[in-house]
């Protein structure tokens, strides 16, 4: 939000903004505080319950981002922080839906874990700095329960795949931002750490515009 990729905060006032894969709706809460009219959408009822518990004075919608329950041209802007797109086999379907519900000139800004991280173990220390898998291997990462049912699936797209997906959906790619690890952040969690963050990007943010 600090990067102002959706525009300066004062320009968000009274804008209709859709957040997909919202989880506990952190982005929507920030948008509402700027005077925007956010709608937070997630496929998980449980995630939206967290948003409700924290307190959300805006609509929460439980739906699949691949079949958005909104009329064409309903929103000025859309965003996603690591939501929905990494978890669907065909992200172009989701991107086309976003394009459909945006008004002409509208922006969709989304972040994903930077695709280069696919090639490295998800470890915060030095062991997370050696390539252990092919960047080009698109086989999804799957976790299963005892009955062999998939309970978590993440799909890998290379940077080039993501650019082509955005263009195939009819968007213009305006920017691809790779934020650097901030000097003030000394925390470690999961595969995130100052050590890795200073050497390889952790996040890729795509700024897309609807013609
Ligand atoms: C990594 S979490 C990110 C949540 C939140 N944006 C954040 O930054 O904390 C990914 C979210 O995407 C949601 N999601 C996954 N597939 C989805 C889909 N097809 N449609 C909508 N949401 C989806 C998940 O339920 C989950 O809440």
């Amino acid at each position: 939000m600090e990067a102002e990729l959706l525009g300066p905060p004062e320009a968000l006032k009274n804008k209709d903004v859709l957040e997909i894969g919202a989880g506990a709706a952190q982005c929507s809460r920030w948008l509402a505080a700027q005077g925007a009219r956010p709608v937070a959408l997630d496929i998980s009822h449980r995630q939206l319950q967290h948003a409700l518990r924290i307190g959300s004075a805006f609509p929460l919608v439980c739906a699949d981002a691949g079949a958005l329950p909104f009329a064409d041209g309903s929103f000025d802007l859309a965003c996603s922080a690591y939501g929905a797109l990494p978890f669907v086999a065909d992200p172009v379907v989701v991107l086309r839906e976003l394009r459909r519900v945006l008004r002409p000139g509208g922006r969709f800004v989304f972040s994903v874990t930077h695709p280069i991280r696919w090639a490295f173990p998800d470890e915060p220390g030095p062991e997370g700095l050696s390539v252990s898998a092919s960047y080009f291997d698109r086989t999804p990462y799957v976790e299963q329960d005892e009955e062999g049912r998939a309970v978590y699936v993440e799909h890998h797209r290379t940077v080039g795949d993501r650019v082509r997906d955005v263009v195939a959906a009819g968007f213009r790619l305006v920017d691809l931002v790779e934020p650097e690890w901030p000097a003030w952040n000394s925390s470690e969690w999961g595969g995130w750490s100052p050590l890795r963050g200073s050497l390889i990007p952790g996040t890729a943010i795509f700024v897309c515009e609807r013609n």
Side-chain angles (χ1 to χ4, degrees), residues 19-27 41-44 47 63-66 80-85 87-88 94 152:
E19 180 185 9
I20 64 158
Q26 300 92 313
C27 294
L41 177 141
D42 201 286
I43 201 166
S44 160
Q47 287 287 347
D64 184 346
S80 186
Y82 311 95
L85 286 159
F87 309 101
V88 297
V94 172
Y152 181 92

